[in-house]
Amino acid sequence: MKLLMAGAFCVAVVPLSAAQAPHTQHARSETRTAQVKPKQDVLPQATLDFKPVGDRLPLSAQIDFFSHIVCGADGAFYFNAEMLPSGERQVIAVSPKEDEVSSYNMASIMGLENVNPLATDVEGSDIYVLAEAAKSDDLINHDVKPGSPEVRKYTKHFILHFRGKPSTPDVIQLDLPFEPRQFAATSEGKFVVLGLERANQTAVLAVIDDSGELDHYIDAYLDFGSKKSMVANAPQQMESQFQTTPEGAPLDFALVDAQFVHYRNSLLLLMPGAKAKIFTIRGGGVESTKLHLPGGLEAESLVPSDSGWLVRATDGTANGKKLIVAIDPSDGEALRTIQSPQFSINDITCVHDGDFYGIHWPRGNKKNDKAYLMESSQ
């Protein structure tokens, strides 16, 4: 597998209209029949058998990756990474079909300093990165040195638009009445953004235009629930963080933990936790589906898939049960569970054409250890 500086990705999303119908009751466009599915005491189970694909990836084991991994419609996936021990931030893309790895360096974005990627998405061959950064001109005008604590006062939010290759991106400065936490790109050049309105401590779902300004809000407030309920339903692993953070931080963390995934002609937004919901954003409207997971499990994240809804589920403990639950999109009911005995559920990146992909990271401390691309057919 060779290390390249370019990658091609494809995700299709239908345009989002500016007109919003009143959001009082959700009627799904998918047909719901009167047929009642029998309750199953024991769900069908499937087991994944992962095997390495090709040579080792040109990715050092000395790397930390953060934020949700994003999948393209061609099976390529990429993630935000921190290179150790330098702390350099990059967006890494892996294309299993093309046998390519791409690297997008965040340290040399023209006109920006201290770039911190928060989330990434792809639309067609275009790659978008939601990032925090300070404008170089602002620091120069105020005699502030890059890397100093004072830079924080001049930090703003941007979307970096890479047109396929890791060259100089277009920089879109966001001018919003709320703080963005997660986002997804649409086929018409706009963005769906999940954010925090800090003054009222409420979650916001909105469409942003290609200039970085607010286009319109998406009416999802009733489904998000109150600040109290969102924090209460957040994954158990976040509770210890909530206890040591200032007021307002728990809701902020809950929004950062949310996840956008492209699925066929729609966007899915998962609000994880014990009473998790998936919001389907399609054609300018939004619908919510409550997930019905097996007892004792909570939703942690989505596995991007082109063939169904797949939810990573856990019992909430650090070293406890972790599995994938296949979900019926029409009603949120669990269809089957998927086990991965020899490969971590968290390292599975996406599902494409029925194949599961992931990255196996060496657990040793050798600096020269490399990662493997892994594949399993269900």
Side-chain angles (χ1 to χ4, degrees), residues 80-99:
N80 297 336
E82 180 177 357
M83 316 309 289
L84 303 176
S86 66
E88 179 182 286
R89 295 295 179 91
Q90 296 185 2
V91 173
I92 305 294
V94 180
S95 178
K97 301 297 184 183
E98 300 297 330
D99 194 32

Side-chain angles (χ1 to χ4, degrees), residues 43 52 55 83 108 152 158 168 178 181 217 226 289 296 365 377:
L43 291 173
D55 297 329
M83 316 309 289
S108 58
R152 191 64 195 172
F158 301 86
T168 302
F178 59 87
R181 291 296 176 261
Y217 289 102
S226 66
T289 304
N365 296 318
S377 297

Side-chain angles (χ1 to χ4, degrees), residues 13 184-186 192 260-263 265-269 279-281:
V13 181
T186 75
V192 180
F260 279 107
V261 167
H262 292 268
Y263 178 69
N265 293 324
S266 62
L267 281 174
L268 305 181
L269 171 61
F279 296 87
T280 303
I281 304 166

Side-chain angles (χ1 to χ4, degrees), residues 42-47 336-339:
V42 180
L43 291 173
Q45 296 184 6
T47 301
R336 68 186 186 281
T337 61
I338 302 172
Q339 313 280 344

Side-chain angles (χ1 to χ4, degrees), residues 104-115 131-140 158-162 166-173:
Y104 297 76
N105 195 329
M106 298 290 109
S108 58
I109 306 299
M110 187 176 298
L112 299 181
E113 302 287 348
N114 291 31
V115 179
E132 292 180 329
K135 297 177 72 173
S136 303
D137 289 346
D138 288 345
L139 300 187
I140 293 173
F158 301 86
I159 289 178
L160 311 177
H161 178 191
F162 294 90
S167 56
T168 302
D170 296 332
V171 177
I172 304 170
Q173 182 173 337

Side-chain angles (χ1 to χ4, degrees), residues 196-219:
L196 173 66
E197 192 176 78
R198 194 168 289 281
N200 298 322
Q201 283 295 296
T202 55
V204 173
L205 190 61
V207 174
I208 310 305
D209 63 24
D210 58 4
S211 67
E213 297 183 347
L214 176 66
D215 187 302
H216 65 276
Y217 289 102
I218 297 177
D219 182 11

Side-chain angles (χ1 to χ4, degrees), residues 11-45:
V11 175
V13 181
V14 295
L16 296 170
S17 65
Q20 287 294 310
H23 187 63
T24 54
Q25 185 174 0
H26 305 290
R28 299 193 62 86
S29 60
E30 298 165 358
T31 303
R32 292 195 180 193
T33 66
Q35 182 179 2
V36 178
K37 290 183 293 187
K39 290 290 184 180
Q40 297 181 350
D41 294 331
V42 180
L43 291 173
Q45 296 184 6

